[in-house]
Amino acid sequence: MAQKNEAEKKIKKGSKLLIVGGLVVLLLFAGIGIGGFVFASQEDESFVSRFTPEAEAVEISFPLEEFLINLSSESERNQPVVRMELTITSLNEEAEELFGKEIAKVRDAVIHVVANQSVETIYNEEEGHFLIKNDIKKRINQALEDDVVEDVFITNILLQK
């Protein structure tokens, strides 16, 4: 019987070693997996940003009332007129309040840019986009003294010669 007890003790000791060894191997693989995820080469992402949820940027759209603007012309007698509607967008959460408060500056900036255009230049495009949109965006941002306007969309335009 003494031999039987010693044999049972050896078996129990061997199975404990086997369980501990299995746990060590399991932890080793888990560590390799986590390390690979954390230290993998991701150029544009910081270490902390991998573990924090991304906050989605909220785009604010602010439609402007219709504009009726005289274009620059050689002749004052037959001055061309453009009727246009615009929507400006921003990623700044306080932009809608700013646009509403400073609407006179925003409208003045648009009128200034458009009034300096001619019939020949109002529809100029580059890569499928009206060039005037960038000019309007820059002028509004200048007037507001902040880069708050993200994009300008021309929602309606009509030119009368």
Side-chain angles (χ1 to χ4, degrees):
M1 234 175 166
Q3 287 179 341
K4 212 178 192 184
N5 283 338
E6 281 183 40
E8 285 180 12
K9 285 182 184 180
K10 284 184 181 181
I11 291 175
K12 284 183 183 181
K13 190 175 181 182
S15 59
K16 285 182 183 179
L17 283 176
L18 186 62
I19 291 172
V20 170
L23 286 174
V24 168
V25 169
L26 183 65
L27 287 174
L28 180 67
F29 281 119
I32 290 171
I34 292 171
F37 171 74
V38 170
F39 297 110
S41 174
Q42 296 178 5
E43 296 86 30
D44 61 341
E45 205 175 344
S46 72
F47 176 75
V48 175
S49 69
R50 293 184 206 164
F51 300 102
T52 56
E54 290 184 32
E56 291 186 29
V58 177
E59 184 175 77
I60 305 296
S61 293
F62 192 83
L64 300 175
E65 290 184 25
E66 181 179 87
F67 291 88
L68 195 59
I69 306 167
N70 292 329
L71 297 178
S72 64
S73 172
E74 305 272 327
S75 164
E76 287 186 27
R77 191 167 216 200
N78 294 327
Q79 203 167 15
V81 177
V82 67
R83 182 181 67 101
M84 67 187 328
E85 294 174 11
L86 302 171
T87 297
I88 53 179
T89 63
S90 178
L91 298 177
N92 186 338
E93 292 178 4
E94 292 137 19
E96 191 168 9
E97 182 180 329
L98 177 64
F99 294 151
K101 192 168 73 174
E102 301 289 349
I103 192 66
K105 288 182 180 179
V106 171
R107 289 187 63 82
D108 181 66
V110 172
I111 291 169
H112 180 80
V113 171
V114 176
N116 288 317
Q117 300 294 317
S118 67
V119 172
E120 293 80 27
T121 63
I122 193 83
Y123 288 118
N124 283 350
E125 290 186 39
E126 185 175 287
E127 297 180 11
H129 299 287
F130 287 119
L131 294 177
I132 195 170
K133 289 171 46 172
N134 286 332
D135 296 339
I136 292 171
K137 174 184 166 183
K138 288 176 191 173
R139 185 67 182 215
I140 293 172
N141 284 335
Q142 267 181 345
L144 298 177
E145 298 175 355
D146 192 6
D147 285 339
V148 68
V149 176
E150 185 70 26
D151 207 350
V152 174
F153 295 99
I154 299 174
T155 56
N156 195 359
I157 188 167
L158 177 67
L159 180 64
Q160 181 180 353
K161 294 182 185 183

